[in-house]
Amino acid sequence: MIPRFITLEGGEGAGKSTQIRLLAQALAQAGQAVLRTREPGGSAGAERVRELILSRPWDPLAEMALHFAARREHWARSIAPCLAAGAFVVSDRFFDSTLAYQVGGQGAPRAVWEGLRTTLLGDAAPGLTLLLDLPVEAGLARAEARGETNRYETLGAGFHERVREAFLAQAKAEPDRIKVIDATHPPAEVSAAILAACRDRFGLP
Ligand SMILES: Nc1ncnc2c1ncn2[C@@H]1O[C@H](COP(=O)(O)OP(=O)(O)O)[C@@H](O)[C@H]1O
Ligand SMILES: [Mg+2]
């Protein structure tokens, strides 16, 4: 568990990009150094892998391996050095997304996720994960209204229901790390809930 490492998780259109901006702003205003980053991607090499992942369909295990290759690069070159320097790191998605999308959504074996996680990251894990949860149709409608779509958004409601269930199951399994945030409320209310969770966890003013 790494105290200053915060991840935002959730399905398409849950508000992760919106909320990570607000969270990074609030941390900076509180005088904290902060790296705002995202997955897949977050470092030069990992952004190249992101392009590969999103450019075409993959076998589920190959896709999981690509996500973890990008994640290892992101961790080693961006996240770990920033944490070591004392900064907060806030990431739009991390390993819970691979569990939800590739294991829950695409049916890859959970043991492979666990093995890759342990082999590549050891026991490194976020100190706080905020799961932005809302009904699948609402999230997909928001994502559609936003305009840009990616390959995952087109995979159908059944896929996204399994993703949501996998996220919620993981939150139930790790209640100390993962806080479920009701993402149906307006952005300012969601942001207030996120900041309250950060205050509770890190004792920030
Ligand atoms: N709480 C909210 N209520 C209504 N619309 C929202 C909310 N949060 C974000 N949106 C809008 O929904 C769309 C998707 O939000 P975004 O932050 O891009 O989600 P994500 O990064 O999780 O896919 C954007 O157009 C955004 O402005
Ligand atoms: Mg986003």
Side-chain angles (χ1 to χ4, degrees), residues 16-17 92 146:
K16 299 178 298 299
S17 300
D92 183 337
R146 177 183 56 194

Side-chain angles (χ1 to χ4, degrees), residues 2-73:
I2 299 164
R4 289 172 170 254
F5 182 26
I6 304 172
T7 57
L8 266 71
E9 296 282 5
E12 312 300 328
K16 299 178 298 299
S17 300
T18 305
Q19 293 300 327
I20 205 158
R21 276 194 295 274
L22 299 172
L23 174 57
Q25 257 170 31
L27 287 168
Q29 272 165 17
Q32 303 291 329
V34 52
L35 170 72
R36 170 156 66 93
T37 187
R38 68 154 180 197
E39 289 204 346
S43 68
E47 289 288 333
R48 296 288 298 277
V49 181
R50 176 191 180 93
E51 290 168 21
L52 271 178
I53 291 170
L54 295 178
S55 67
R56 50 156 294 144
W58 295 91
D59 164 81
L61 286 180
E63 190 157 330
M64 181 136 70
L66 286 170
H67 277 287
F68 268 101
R71 179 162 302 127
R72 172 66 207 180
E73 187 75 8

